[in-house]
């Protein structure tokens, strides 16, 4: 399975971005049968989970992004999104999407840079 994150870019602090995640090389039902997560890896730091969405559409967020980030799926469960508002410089990093509990091979991710 290939997991492709997109939508990153350069944004000023306080701005917003929406990331998207799609799969290829696997069943179109992939998001329907797996709890999914958004991860980020800041420069010089380990990859961390920032948002989880379960197959039952329950969500959970890291404390650092709670109230600012929203994870969601489209109605067909083909695309996963991460709406990021009130961005801070510490949100800078490469963002990845993957399963929540047993990650598949990591894709390239998408770079988010937040300038102060």
């Amino acid at each position: 399975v290939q997991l492709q994150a997109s939508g990153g870019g350069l944004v000023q602090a306080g701005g917003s971005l929406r990331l998207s995640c799609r799969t290829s090389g696997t069943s179109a039902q992939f998001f329907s049968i797996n709890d999914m997560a958004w991860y980020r890896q800041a420069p010089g730091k380990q990859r961390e989970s920032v948002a989880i969405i379960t197959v039952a559409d329950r969500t959970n967020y890291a404390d650092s992004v709670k109230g600012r980030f929203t994870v969601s799926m489209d109605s067909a469960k083909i695309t996963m999104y991460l709406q990021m508002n009130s961005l801070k410089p510490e949100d800078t990093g490469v963002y990845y999407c993957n399963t929540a509990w047993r990650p598949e091979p990591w894709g390239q991710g998408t770079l988010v840079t937040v300038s102060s």
Side-chain angles (χ1 to χ4, degrees), residues 7-107:
L10 174 63
V11 63
Q12 288 189 329
S16 298
L17 282 174
R18 188 176 79 158
L19 307 184
S20 299
C21 174
R22 301 197 73 174
T23 65
S24 62
T26 187
S27 165
Q29 303 301 315
F30 188 83
F31 287 161
S32 297
I33 60 174
N34 286 283
D35 294 344
M36 297 298 298
W38 282 98
Y39 300 80
R40 74 178 172 201
Q41 187 164 19
K45 295 188 177 181
Q46 288 191 331
R47 188 181 286 132
E48 61 174 346
S49 170
V50 296
I52 294 172
I53 184 165
T54 71
V55 296
D57 289 333
R58 291 195 165 195
T59 57
N60 193 32
Y61 299 92
D63 288 343
S64 59
V65 307
K66 202 170 292 183
R68 301 187 297 120
F69 289 11
T70 303
V71 58
S72 63
M73 293 278 186
D74 67 345
S75 57
K77 293 211 170 184
I78 295 175
T79 306
M80 179 173 69
Y81 301 101
L82 185 67
Q83 178 66 43
M84 306 186 296
N85 299 327
S86 303
L87 282 161
K88 303 176 180 180
E90 51 264 44
D91 294 319
T92 293
V94 180
Y95 284 71
Y96 304 85
C97 55
N98 212 318
T99 56
W101 314 120
R102 288 187 177 181
E104 299 286 339
W106 295 94

